[in-house]
Amino acid sequence: MEKYRQLNIKLTPQRLAILDYLRDNTNHPSAEDIFKAVKKKFPTMSFATVYNTLETLLNKGGIHELKIETGKKRYDYDVTPHHHIICIKCRKIVDLYKDYKIPLPDEITREFELINKTVEFYGTCRNCKKRH
Amino acid sequence: MEKYRQLNIKLTPQRLAILDYLRDNTNHPSAEDIFKAVKKKFPTMSFATVYNTLETLLNKGGIHELKIETGKKRYDYDVTPHHHIICIKCRKIVDLYKDYKIPLPDEITREFELINKTVEFYGTCRNCKKRH
DNA sequence: GTTTTTGACAAGAACGGTTCTAATCTGATA
DNA sequence: TATCAGATTAGAACCGTTCTTGTCAAAAAC
């Protein structure tokens, strides 16, 4: 796959499995989610490999790290700019592809060189709403 | 102080010290920041008390919890709605008092009952920029 | 005014996610 | 085939947070 090649890293079987899992599971999995899934294919898989691979991919810009939970990080294969809606009950995360132009006051732009922004919406999804 | 009274909790000396620290340190301190500072006044202070108090204050709506870092939570005495600009180098957080109206597409509002939103800007502050 | 009850505090253990360490393995290159 | 850098592994260490247990102090009940 083209994206894989662009990463310009050694594509070991473990790394491929991690990448494939991320590509096929767009529900923003955590390191543990990835570990559990990939361990089925590679029983000797360790957390170190998951974290090492994630860091390598991060540095190459192949994935995004979501800091939406405080307890654990979640990962996103989709690196095109987008925002998220998070269900505060089940922690489901839904993507939102919209480019919001949000003006910043001058006193901020004088003080900060802006790099990027995230907009996060919190609410309850229909499922969690039903079972009140 | 008026806000303290409105919290409607038993204002023990330890809790007062924590509240005072939060009121006087608007740099969004972490639990450890609070612990270290208040321990000077109460050498027997424990983390349990800090966390217990923070949770009580949270439940009473007296403070806000910022989930900007993944590793640790940070706390905000200011509960009026506002957003943040975060320096990716020194993790300084600056407040931004602006009420952005951000429209959500219908397919989202059908699926989610929106509760609130956060807008976070990331960049480098002038200080960190200087020492490139 | 003493006893009882309630809730806050303290110390440290436990926990969960992440990072580090040291040893081993793999695979590309010479 | 030998070399060597980099990847993998298992488990220890780490850090922030939560939990547990016992103690203490203030308020309520008697």
Side-chain angles (χ1 to χ4, degrees):
Chain A
M1 217 193 174
E2 195 45 41
K3 169 162 173 171
Y4 289 12
R5 202 156 293 123
Q6 285 172 358
L7 290 171
N8 200 29
I9 57 170
K10 205 192 275 183
L11 283 177
T12 67
Q14 290 92 336
R15 285 178 170 179
L16 266 173
I18 291 171
L19 263 171
D20 285 352
Y21 180 80
L22 281 164
R23 184 196 55 211
D24 299 337
N25 294 80
T26 56
N27 54 337
H28 315 80
S30 65
E32 196 190 357
D33 296 333
I34 300 166
F35 173 73
K36 276 187 185 161
V38 179
K39 198 176 178 63
K40 283 178 193 158
K41 206 170 165 188
F42 294 90
T44 64
M45 167 72 50
S46 82
F47 260 108
T49 300
V50 173
Y51 281 111
N52 286 344
T53 302
L54 289 171
E55 213 204 320
T56 307
L57 293 174
L58 268 174
N59 290 339
K60 294 288 182 176
I63 57 171
H64 266 172
E65 192 177 82
L66 305 189
K67 305 182 174 185
I68 283 169
E69 323 265 323
T70 20
K72 66 172 79 156
K73 296 172 182 169
R74 296 177 64 164
Y75 296 90
D76 200 336
Y77 182 81
D78 183 355
V79 295
T80 61
H82 63 279
H83 304 292
H84 295 106
I85 305 104
I86 301 114
C87 174
I88 58 171
K89 295 262 172 63
C90 68
R91 307 310 289 176
K92 184 169 81 164
I93 301 174
V94 169
D95 294 321
L96 174 58
Y97 295 89
K98 270 220 153 193
D99 186 16
Y100 296 116
K101 302 256 177 279
I102 302 177
L104 274 176
D106 284 352
E107 68 263 29
I108 297 293
T109 51
R110 264 197 302 274
E111 195 56 34
F112 272 86
E113 178 167 340
L114 198 69
I115 291 169
N116 69 329
K117 64 171 182 293
T118 66
V119 184
E120 280 146 23
F121 300 89
Y122 294 87
T124 42
C125 72
R126 198 191 281 179
N127 246 345
C128 291
K129 192 77 203 305
K130 255 187 291 185
R131 25 186 153 85
H132 61 91
Chain B
M1 219 193 172
E2 193 47 36
K3 168 160 175 171
Y4 290 11
R5 201 157 294 122
Q6 285 173 354
L7 290 170
N8 200 30
I9 58 170
K10 206 191 277 184
L11 284 175
T12 66
Q14 289 92 335
R15 285 178 171 179
L16 266 174
I18 291 170
L19 264 170
D20 286 351
Y21 180 80
L22 281 164
R23 184 197 56 212
D24 300 337
N25 294 79
T26 57
N27 54 338
H28 316 80
S30 66
E32 195 189 358
D33 296 333
I34 299 167
F35 172 74
K36 275 186 185 162
V38 179
K39 198 175 179 65
K40 283 178 193 158
K41 207 171 166 187
F42 294 91
T44 65
M45 168 71 52
S46 82
F47 261 108
T49 299
V50 173
Y51 281 111
N52 286 343
T53 301
L54 289 172
E55 211 203 321
T56 307
L57 293 174
L58 267 174
N59 290 338
K60 294 288 180 176
I63 57 171
H64 266 175
E65 193 176 80
L66 305 189
K67 305 182 175 184
I68 285 171
E69 322 265 327
T70 20
K72 65 172 80 159
K73 296 172 182 170
R74 296 177 64 163
Y75 296 89
D76 199 336
Y77 182 81
D78 183 354
V79 294
T80 62
H82 64 278
H83 304 290
H84 295 107
I85 305 106
I86 301 114
C87 175
I88 57 171
K89 293 266 173 59
C90 68
R91 307 309 290 177
K92 184 169 84 165
I93 300 174
V94 170
D95 295 321
L96 173 59
Y97 295 90
K98 270 222 154 191
D99 185 15
Y100 295 116
K101 304 257 177 279
I102 301 178
L104 273 178
D106 285 352
E107 67 264 28
I108 297 292
T109 51
R110 265 198 301 275
E111 196 55 37
F112 272 86
E113 178 166 342
L114 199 69
I115 291 170
N116 69 330
K117 65 168 181 293
T118 65
V119 184
E120 280 147 25
F121 300 89
Y122 293 86
T124 41
C125 72
R126 198 190 283 178
N127 247 346
C128 292
K129 192 76 203 306
K130 252 186 294 185
R131 22 185 155 86
H132 63 92

